[in-house]
Amino acid sequence: MGFTAYLRGFVPWIVAGVVSGVVDWRWGALGGLASGLLLLLQDVRRGVDLGALILEASTVGYFVVVGAVSVTHPDSSLRDHSDVLSFVWLGATAWGSLAIRHPFTLGIAKRQTPREYWEMPAFLQVNNRITGAWGAGFTFIAVSLAVGSAVDAPAWVGVTAHVVGLAGPIVFTKVYPERAQRRLLEAQGAAAVPR
């Protein structure tokens, strides 16, 4: 699976983070909502099944809630915890999609994998593991940021948590499907050899 397909799903989060840092959290939330809605509408217009847009729909939901709070209560304490909350939300999206047996990465994978592979147990298993890696990364970042905030840790702790928590799933997403496909092809080749 190409990572660029995953990166597209995180564009609203990146927009929100950049705009919040440059302007303030209200504009960040509204920028995240606007970019999330734009990407969701593009996918719907292209005919992408709504079941394949779990991350996108969850992202819009997050920015609707946070955007509403940021505009109606700009001095809310939520402002100081929006980074932790965003990773809690992303983690809940990943773990929740696994709980309902529809990993959020499945929709992304289906957009770049031929249809004949979609019903294979190995295809679902790969996506379960990739979604689990993202869930673990998001959870790691959320916990690290929450603990760092509670103990007033230096800023580099949060930066390190972001790098480690995102780099792991990025590498796993790049490497694991290729290895799983290679093992599957080897197993099919071994099964085809007469004994």
Side-chain angles (χ1 to χ4, degrees), residues 98-162:
L98 284 172
I100 64 169
R101 297 175 188 241
H102 193 82
F104 82 85
T105 60
L106 198 59
I108 299 167
K110 284 182 176 180
R111 289 180 236 168
Q112 49 195 331
T113 304
R115 185 175 288 276
E116 63 263 20
Y117 296 104
W118 293 5
E119 300 303 319
M120 294 178 72
F123 183 69
L124 180 59
Q125 182 182 39
V126 165
N127 280 281
N128 281 333
R129 291 189 175 150
I130 291 172
T131 298
W134 283 101
F138 297 147
T139 303
F140 171 79
I141 295 169
V143 170
S144 298
L145 294 175
V147 170
S149 177
V151 299
D152 202 26
W156 66 263
V157 172
V159 171
T160 303
H162 280 83

Side-chain angles (χ1 to χ4, degrees), residues 22-143:
V22 173
V23 185
D24 78 4
W25 78 300
R26 291 172 292 188
W27 289 106
L30 295 175
L33 176 60
S35 58
L37 280 171
L38 179 65
L39 292 174
L40 183 64
L41 290 173
Q42 284 177 347
D43 286 336
V44 169
R45 289 181 108 189
R46 281 190 304 203
V48 177
D49 179 44
L50 288 177
L53 298 171
I54 292 173
L55 178 63
E56 294 81 355
S58 176
T59 296
V60 169
Y62 172 84
F63 285 115
V64 163
V65 171
V66 171
V69 171
S70 72
V71 170
T72 59
H73 295 49
D75 295 328
S76 169
S77 63
L78 183 65
R79 175 187 62 210
D80 300 328
H81 305 290
S82 62
D83 199 18
V84 172
L85 181 60
S86 67
F87 284 102
V88 167
W89 189 284
L90 284 167
T93 300
W95 298 123
S97 72
L98 284 172
I100 64 169
R101 297 175 188 241
H102 193 82
F104 82 85
T105 60
L106 198 59
I108 299 167
K110 284 182 176 180
R111 289 180 236 168
Q112 49 195 331
T113 304
R115 185 175 288 276
E116 63 263 20
Y117 296 104
W118 293 5
E119 300 303 319
M120 294 178 72
F123 183 69
L124 180 59
Q125 182 182 39
V126 165
N127 280 281
N128 281 333
R129 291 189 175 150
I130 291 172
T131 298
W134 283 101
F138 297 147
T139 303
F140 171 79
I141 295 169
V143 170

